[in-house]
């Protein structure tokens, strides 16, 4: 039975995915498509079909993704992702609607369209992936191939995108347009990583201090911060010492450092970045 808490959580997740899909569709219809820039993925294939036949991108995306989903259900099973099916319908609708509304690029310079469109497409993909969703397309193809061949999904997706963008030359007849497509793809890939990994950024902190108990109690009580005590020995004096070790969100690191400085200005602190921390209070495994 679905509890109100779980329903609200799922509703929020699907709402965020829908928002990300809207941004993705806006990137294509407001910047890439009207500037005749072909990006990667099924949307890129839909763009090529649009320039060849005038067939709306939203229709192409829906048909291609629909066929891929049917194949994936047979190959990967019904558990491969309900959110991917949801994303296919919503993205197709947004592409169809916005392509009717938007007839001119938001900026006239094609290089700027490639940059802005790539940033928006990448950021939106990062938002969608962070909620366990996917826009389908080449992601589905990569998952199906990966089931039978030991290839990296990331490399497969990159290869497919390179083929799609390169093939636009035979439609556009312009190397310049192909380069713009590669620019958009590169910017998009960078932004995907930036959004996904940016959410996970944490720090580990080692605190060497003579005011061990006072700092520990302050961080636990006022910062709601978990701490590990490490037993060590001073290499010079051979005295037994204690070290505080903690993991924290990067956004909380400055307040932790400020607290330590106020209590013990002479404290020695070592802090390093951590790509991801998984467990209670941090990211889910």
């Amino acid at each position: 039975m679905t509890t109100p808490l779980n329903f609200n959580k799922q509703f929020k997740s699907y709402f965020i995915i829908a928002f990300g899909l809207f941004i993705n569709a806006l990137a294509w219809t407001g910047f890439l498509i009207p500037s005749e820039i072909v990006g990667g993925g099924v949307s890129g294939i839909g763009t090529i079909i649009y320039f060849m036949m005038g067939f709306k991108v939203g229709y192409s995306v829906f048909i291609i993704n629909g066929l891929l989903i049917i194949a994936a259900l047979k190959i990967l099973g019904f558990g491969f992702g309900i959110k991917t099916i949801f994303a296919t319908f919503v993205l197709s609708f947004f592409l169809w609607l916005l392509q009717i509304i938007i007839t001119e690029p938001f900026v006239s310079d094609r290089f700027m369209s490639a940059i802005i469109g790539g940033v928006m497409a990448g950021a939106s993909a990062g938002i969608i992936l962070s909620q366990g969703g996917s826009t389908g397309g080449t992601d589905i193809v990569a998952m199906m191939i990966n089931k039978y061949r030991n290839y990296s999904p990331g490399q497969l997706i990159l290869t497919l995108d390179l083929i799609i963008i390169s093939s636009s030359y035979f439609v556009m007849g312009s190397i310049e347009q192909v380069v713009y497509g590669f620019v958009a793809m590169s910017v998009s890939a960078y932004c995907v990583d930036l959004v996904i990994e940016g959410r996970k950024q944490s720090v580990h902190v080692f605190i060497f201090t003579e005011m061990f108990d006072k700092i520990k109690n302050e961080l636990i009580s006022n910062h709601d911060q978990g701490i590990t005590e490490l037993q060590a020995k001073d290499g010079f004096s051979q005295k037994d010492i204690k070290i505080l070790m903690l993991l924290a969100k990067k956004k909380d690191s400055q307040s932790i450092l400020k607290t330590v400085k106020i209590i013990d200005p002479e404290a020695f602190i070592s802090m390093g970045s951590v790509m991801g921390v998984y467990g209670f209070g941090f990211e889910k495994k």
Side-chain angles (χ1 to χ4, degrees), residues 8-80:
N8 291 336
K9 186 177 180 181
Q10 287 297 317
F11 178 82
K12 180 182 177 182
S13 178
Y14 277 92
F15 179 82
I16 293 172
I17 290 174
F19 174 74
L21 292 167
F22 177 80
I23 298 298
N24 187 284
L26 190 63
W28 282 93
T29 56
F31 296 94
L32 300 180
I33 296 173
S35 297
E36 298 184 348
I37 298 172
V38 175
V42 168
S43 296
I45 297 174
T47 303
I48 293 175
I49 294 172
Y50 172 70
F51 290 131
M52 289 176 62
M53 304 169 58
F55 198 59
K56 293 291 186 183
V57 177
Y59 295 143
S60 298
V61 169
F62 180 76
I63 293 170
I64 296 171
N65 271 335
L67 293 173
L68 288 173
I69 286 173
I70 292 171
L73 289 173
K74 291 183 178 180
I75 296 172
L76 302 174
F78 285 89
F80 90 98

Side-chain angles (χ1 to χ4, degrees), residues 20-270:
L21 292 167
F22 177 80
I23 298 298
N24 187 284
L26 190 63
W28 282 93
T29 56
F31 296 94
L32 300 180
I33 296 173
S35 297
E36 298 184 348
I37 298 172
V38 175
V42 168
S43 296
I45 297 174
T47 303
I48 293 175
I49 294 172
Y50 172 70
F51 290 131
M52 289 176 62
M53 304 169 58
F55 198 59
K56 293 291 186 183
V57 177
Y59 295 143
S60 298
V61 169
F62 180 76
I63 293 170
I64 296 171
N65 271 335
L67 293 173
L68 288 173
I69 286 173
I70 292 171
L73 289 173
K74 291 183 178 180
I75 296 172
L76 302 174
F78 285 89
F80 90 98
I82 190 68
K83 288 182 178 179
T84 299
I85 298 174
F86 168 79
T88 295
F89 283 96
V90 175
L91 178 61
S92 300
F93 171 75
F94 282 147
L95 286 169
W96 167 78
L97 179 64
L98 293 177
Q99 198 172 11
I100 293 174
I101 297 172
I102 302 170
T103 57
E104 296 291 332
F106 289 153
V107 293
S108 58
D109 185 82
R110 282 179 174 170
F111 182 75
M112 286 302 298
S113 288
I115 295 295
I116 298 172
V119 168
M120 291 176 65
S124 65
I127 292 170
I128 295 163
L129 289 169
S130 70
Q131 298 300 314
S134 167
T135 54
T138 50
D139 295 358
I140 298 176
V141 175
M143 284 189 290
M144 290 190 293
I145 294 175
N146 185 250
K147 182 174 180 178
Y148 299 104
R149 294 287 185 272
N150 189 26
Y151 295 131
S152 164
Q155 291 179 355
L156 286 169
I157 292 169
L158 176 61
T159 301
L160 291 170
D161 286 347
L162 289 173
I163 293 171
I164 293 167
I165 294 172
S166 299
S167 65
S168 68
Y169 173 77
F170 300 103
V171 178
M172 308 293 187
S174 171
I175 290 293
E176 182 180 336
Q177 296 299 96
V178 175
V179 172
Y180 285 139
F182 287 138
V183 169
M185 183 189 73
S186 301
V187 172
S188 177
Y190 175 77
C191 289
V192 170
D193 289 341
L194 197 65
V195 171
I196 293 176
E197 300 304 334
R199 295 176 66 256
K200 298 179 181 178
Q201 283 189 349
S202 302
V203 294
H204 64 211
V205 183
F206 290 95
I207 304 171
F208 303 80
T209 175
E210 292 184 358
M211 300 183 181
F212 181 91
D213 291 325
K214 192 171 182 180
I215 291 176
K216 179 185 71 174
N217 294 333
E218 178 67 21
L219 292 177
I220 291 174
S221 59
N222 293 334
H223 289 265
D224 194 23
Q225 179 65 55
I227 293 176
T228 300
E229 298 182 13
L230 302 178
Q231 300 294 329
K233 180 174 287 189
D234 188 296
F236 180 75
S237 66
Q238 294 298 299
K239 290 182 179 179
D240 291 328
I241 59 172
K242 292 181 180 180
I243 301 170
L244 289 173
M245 189 276 286
L246 58 96
L247 292 163
K249 297 286 188 181
K250 193 171 184 177
K251 61 183 177 63
D252 298 325
S253 61
Q254 290 305 310
S255 62
I256 291 171
L257 294 178
K258 184 177 180 180
T259 298
V260 174
K261 183 180 179 181
I262 291 172
I263 297 174
D264 183 9
E266 302 300 322
F268 183 82
I269 303 171
S270 170

